[in-house]
């Protein structure tokens, strides 16, 4: 004879067996795909992907390897891998107070048969500088980088990759944000003095830009959030000297990369160290 409480016990056991084991899945209604997403670690965010196509304009400016990276803090765009023919200064609307430094874009000249270099492949550039506004001129007549215009002021060697001649002056372009493909790891160049440490972050893959930088030592220096000085130069007055340094970079897509102990305890100001890059 089966007693009522025995039937109830068996029913409860069966119910427990079919319920999802993940608490997050239970809260979301028991769907497995919700459970997986809820427990996914932050560093497993998807890789950076190309964004939507937009419309803007492009001009060109002259300079050299030591000037094309000015507003972003890059010392030499050639030795740092950005190149003379693949850099651009961004208008204020795109520059975002320096946060966009290091981001990569795909550009195409379009809708101007007279000046477009028809059939030319896309131009890929890295944001390395700022095109400041000129409020003395109208936005559609010389004040090309005035807010809220989205505008690219290309390094002169890059301009001819998409335009037939410098005579064009200004050309319409289609553009989109794309992942940055870099050789090797993220680079950290340390300058300053024991009481003022500055780190230039460059050669960043993936999203290419940096939204935060943290540093940690092996002894007394705990995880410390550094402050953006300008472009991709970051500061802290924390005591870094004599510590083996670890850097944690976070990009605008929410992914982060931690480069453990890339600078030995004997590091010196002026040295550059290579860490782990975004894929």
């Amino acid at each position: 004879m089966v007693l009522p409480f025995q039937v109830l016990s068996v029913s409860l056991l069966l119910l427990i067996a079919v319920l999802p084991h993940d608490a997050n899945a239970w809260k979301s209604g028991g769907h497995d795909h919700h459970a997986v997403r809820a427990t996914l670690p932050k560093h497993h965010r998807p890789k950076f992907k190309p964004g939507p196509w937009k419309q803007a304009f492009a001009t060109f400016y002259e300079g050299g390897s030591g000037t094309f990276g000015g507003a972003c803090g890059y010392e030499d765009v050639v030795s740092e891998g950005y190149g003379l023919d693949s850099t651009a200064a961004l208008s204020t609307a795109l520059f975002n107070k320096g946060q966009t430094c290091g981001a990569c874009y795909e550009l195409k000249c379009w809708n101007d048969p007279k000046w477009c270099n028809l059939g030319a492949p896309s131009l890929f550039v890295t944001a390395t500088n700022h095109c400041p506004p000129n409020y003395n001129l109208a936005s559609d007549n010389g004040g090309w980088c005035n807010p809220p215009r989205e505008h690219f002021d290309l390094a002169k060697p890059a301009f001819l990759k998409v335009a037939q001649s410098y005579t064009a002056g200004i050309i319409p372009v289609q553009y989109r944000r794309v992942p940055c493909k870099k050789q090797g790891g993220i680079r950290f160049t340390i300058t300053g003095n024991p009481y003022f440490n500055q780190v230039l972050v460059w050669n960043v893959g993936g999203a290419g830009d940096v939204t935060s930088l943290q540093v940690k030592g092996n002894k007394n220096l705990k995880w410390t959030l550094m402050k953006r000085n300008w472009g991709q130069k970051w500061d802290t007055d924390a005591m870094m000297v004599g510590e083996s340094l670890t850097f944690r970079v976070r990009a605008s897509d929410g992914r982060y990369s931690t480069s453990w102990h890339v600078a030995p305890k004997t590091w010196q100001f002026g040295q550059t160290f290579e860490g782990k890059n975004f894929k």
Side-chain angles (χ1 to χ4, degrees):
M1 177 177 179
V2 179
L3 299 178
F5 76 89
Q6 291 177 315
V7 174
L8 178 61
S9 298
V10 172
S11 300
L12 286 174
L13 288 173
L14 290 173
L15 179 61
I16 292 172
V18 299
L19 284 174
H21 296 288
D22 190 285
N24 292 307
W26 167 258
K27 293 177 182 179
S28 61
H31 299 295
D32 289 343
H33 64 281
H34 285 176
V36 171
R37 185 162 61 244
T39 58
L40 206 61
K42 290 182 178 179
H43 61 278
H44 281 270
R45 292 176 183 267
K47 293 182 179 180
F48 189 79
K49 295 181 180 180
W53 285 100
K54 300 180 180 180
Q55 296 177 8
F57 287 87
T59 49
F60 67 89
Y61 73 112
E62 299 190 51
S65 61
T67 59
F68 283 143
C72 288
Y74 302 128
E75 304 295 337
D76 189 312
V77 296
V78 173
S79 63
E80 291 171 355
Y82 298 107
L84 288 176
D85 58 353
S86 55
T87 63
L90 305 186
S91 63
T92 299
L94 289 172
F95 191 66
N96 195 20
K97 298 181 179 180
Q99 181 178 304
T100 314
C101 289
C104 297
Y105 295 87
E106 179 181 3
L107 277 72
K108 295 180 179 180
C109 184
W110 79 292
N111 201 32
D112 192 345
K114 181 179 179 181
W115 295 116
C116 286
N117 193 353
L118 300 177
S122 295
L123 171 65
F124 293 90
V125 297
T126 302
T128 62
N129 213 345
H130 177 220
C131 178
N134 183 351
Y135 296 114
N136 294 319
L137 298 175
S139 296
D140 59 351
N141 188 22
W144 311 122
C145 293
N146 294 350
R149 290 178 62 96
E150 295 188 347
H151 188 90
F152 294 84
D153 203 16
L154 303 175
K156 190 174 181 179
F159 189 75
L160 283 187
K161 287 189 172 183
V162 288
Q164 291 186 24
S165 169
Y166 293 126
T167 308
I170 182 170
I171 57 173
V173 295
Q174 290 182 321
Y175 79 94
R176 64 175 178 171
R177 184 88 176 266
V178 294
C180 296
K181 299 178 181 179
K182 301 299 180 182
Q183 297 293 323
I186 297 175
R187 308 302 208 280
F188 305 92
T189 300
I190 308 173
T191 56
N193 58 62
Y195 307 101
F196 177 78
N197 306 277
Q198 190 167 87
V199 178
L200 171 64
V201 184
W202 52 284
N203 199 57
V204 183
D209 55 1
V210 178
T211 58
S212 72
L213 177 66
Q214 297 179 68
V215 62
K216 180 183 180 300
N218 66 310
K219 296 187 299 183
N220 301 319
L221 181 62
K222 307 304 181 184
W223 279 116
T224 300
L225 187 66
M226 302 188 72
K227 181 181 178 181
R228 187 193 304 274
N229 187 308
W230 51 286
Q232 291 302 358
K233 286 194 172 183
W234 300 77
D235 299 340
T236 181
D237 56 4
M239 187 60 66
M240 291 169 48
V241 174
E243 300 255 8
S244 173
L245 301 178
T246 294
F247 293 101
R248 177 167 291 165
V249 175
R250 192 170 188 88
S252 62
D253 61 352
R255 299 176 71 211
Y256 63 83
S257 175
T258 304
S259 300
W260 293 97
H261 307 295
V262 292
K265 292 183 292 184
T266 55
W267 65 266
Q268 300 291 318
F269 289 105
Q271 291 182 316
T272 298
F273 302 95
E274 181 175 348
K276 179 184 177 183
N277 217 331
F278 294 100
K279 301 297 184 180

